[in-house]
Amino acid sequence: MLGTGLAGKAVIIGLNAAIVTVSEEEPKILVVPQAAERSNTAGSWDALPFGPFDPQKHRTLEIGLRDWVQEQTHLALGYVEQLYTFGDRGRHALEVEAPGEHVVSVGYLALTRTHDGELSGAAWRDWYEHCPWEDWRQGKPAIIEQVIAPLLREWASHQAEASDDELTRGKRRDRMRLCFGLDGVPWDDEKVLERYELLYEAGLVREAARDGRPNAIARGGANDPVLGRPMQFDHRRILATAMSRLRAKLKYRPVAFELMPPTFTLFELQKTVEALLGLHVHKQNFRRLVENAGLVERTGRMTTRTGGRPAEQFRFRREVLNERPAPGLRLAPSKSRANS
């Protein structure tokens, strides 16, 4: 417990981990099931590993996070960085958290190569199950034009309050186009959080109805569109933040190698990067960029584990971290996908 606010509420520090791996060319997020009695949701929704910060037990927030993840999943974390602090009133849908308490969530991004099935009390989940509009590897997701765009256009044009004027509605339409790449606006792979926030504000995700948002569309019918797999508390928002951070960071830091085995082929590296970005990249340009940037070095060995002809194996050159300030992968998507 951190202290009390102006209204006399106790402020609880919660630690949340968005733990990412890539397995079989798919990005995975580690989730733990939460029983219905833990929140005001019906049934069991996935949650990120989380727990309260105990200053008597944990010297730092990160130590507390690592302890909670180890306890809940038996997974020892490697790469970890703090994402953001989430403290909005009403975003932590845990009304049974006891009267007079408010939870401030500190989110973390963690990367691991461990993806061997289920762990103790946890399981790996494809992160595109939670945000299906983010995967453009097979072209523009049908859910955007068939479901999201019509619902957002209806919301953007609706006069929810007497104070709503054409300027307000115009700003909503601009946000819709910029976030989801509509009406000729190019897709920005880094706007994951902005897209989720827009869907939440428009009342289109189940978390909005759960949290009692006034404009939330009632969900639950057999024919209702489900905009991604919902999560407990504000954890899908934390996941969206982690996706945004990781996609951006790929371009200026070599974080992709934290998800690779000690030796790998350039094709395996490309597929890992594409899985995270949700976009295809040009194969020859990718190979040229990685080699010319000095990010990898040859091992002199070949492998056939990817099928087909033997492929050369490489390893990450950690020396590159000391050679220049931003040794990332500044990639452009392949034209066939970027213009879909």
Side-chain angles (χ1 to χ4, degrees):
M1 184 165 59
L2 183 63
T4 57
L6 294 177
K9 277 196 170 187
V11 178
I12 307 299
I13 301 295
L15 306 173
N16 305 265
I19 306 171
V20 179
T21 194
V22 175
S23 173
E24 298 178 347
E25 301 179 7
E26 296 298 334
K28 309 284 187 181
I29 191 78
L30 194 64
V31 298
V32 292
Q34 292 295 306
E37 63 268 17
R38 293 287 303 274
S39 77
N40 59 353
T41 59
S44 179
W45 288 4
D46 289 338
L48 300 176
F50 72 100
F53 173 64
D54 182 352
Q56 302 300 320
K57 180 181 179 183
H58 307 133
R59 183 171 55 85
T60 67
L61 295 174
E62 184 176 321
I63 290 174
L65 177 83
R66 291 178 182 274
D67 282 354
W68 275 115
V69 171
Q70 177 76 35
E71 179 178 322
Q72 292 181 14
T73 70
H74 293 179
L75 177 67
L77 294 180
Y79 176 94
V80 171
E81 68 169 275
Q82 189 175 130
L83 281 173
Y84 193 72
T85 299
F86 304 84
D88 298 5
R89 183 168 53 86
R91 296 307 297 270
H92 197 282
L94 186 59
E95 301 305 325
V96 295
E97 62 187 358
E101 288 186 354
H102 178 67
V103 177
V104 173
S105 301
V106 182
Y108 284 82
L109 168 65
L111 306 179
T112 180
R113 300 184 181 99
T114 301
H115 46 72
D116 48 354
E118 290 200 12
L119 301 168
S120 174
W124 293 107
R125 184 88 65 202
D126 186 335
W127 76 13
Y128 292 125
E129 289 187 33
H130 298 289
C131 302
W133 52 86
E134 293 294 337
D135 189 0
W136 284 59
R137 288 173 295 173
Q138 302 303 319
K140 190 173 187 176
I143 193 174
I144 293 180
E145 291 294 347
Q146 295 177 6
V147 181
I148 293 175
L151 290 173
L152 282 178
R153 286 193 173 99
E154 179 183 350
W155 166 77
S157 301
H158 180 62
Q159 185 171 349
E161 300 178 6
S163 59
D164 287 353
D165 54 17
E166 184 54 37
L167 178 60
T168 299
R169 293 192 289 271
K171 288 180 178 179
R172 290 178 187 160
R173 289 191 289 268
D174 288 342
R175 284 181 63 198
M176 174 188 73
R177 287 191 287 265
L178 289 171
C179 284
F180 283 93
L182 301 175
D183 302 332
V185 176
W187 176 258
D188 185 342
D189 60 277
E190 295 180 25
K191 290 187 179 293
V192 189
L193 178 60
E194 288 93 331
R195 284 186 279 273
Y196 177 74
E197 290 283 17
L198 180 58
L199 293 173
Y200 183 95
E201 183 180 333
L204 301 180
V205 291
R206 289 191 171 180
E207 289 90 334
R210 175 206 63 192
D211 295 352
R213 300 286 293 187
N215 64 330
I217 296 176
R219 299 293 181 195
N223 298 320
D224 285 347
V226 177
L227 300 188
R229 189 183 183 105
M231 299 186 78
Q232 290 277 19
F233 319 132
D234 56 355
H235 288 190
R236 192 151 48 145
R237 186 187 184 205
I238 296 174
L239 170 59
T241 306
M243 293 172 69
S244 293
R245 172 74 63 84
L246 186 51
R247 286 179 171 184
K249 199 154 192 173
L250 283 171
K251 298 160 189 174
Y252 65 89
R253 297 297 291 174
V255 290
F257 296 99
E258 300 290 342
L259 299 167
M260 302 302 298
T263 61
F264 48 84
T265 68
L266 294 185
F267 180 75
E268 290 170 331
L269 177 61
Q270 178 184 337
K271 289 301 179 182
T272 295
V273 171
E274 289 178 336
L276 298 171
L277 292 177
L279 294 167
H280 279 301
V281 298
H282 190 279
K283 180 179 179 180
Q284 295 306 321
N285 288 348
F286 179 83
R287 293 178 65 94
R288 189 159 42 247
L289 171 64
V290 170
E291 293 192 74
N292 291 347
L295 296 173
V296 297
E297 59 186 3
R298 302 174 188 274
T299 66
R301 297 192 294 271
M302 308 291 286
T303 180
T304 58
R305 67 171 176 258
T306 56
R309 297 164 53 185
E312 188 173 6
Q313 290 185 304
F314 292 79
R315 66 168 63 93
F316 173 51
R317 284 186 66 250
R318 293 203 171 269
E319 296 86 349
V320 76
L321 296 171
N322 300 319
E323 293 171 357
R324 63 180 191 275
L329 295 164
R330 297 191 176 276
L331 302 163
S334 63
K335 292 183 179 179
S336 62
R337 297 304 181 194
N339 298 326
S340 295

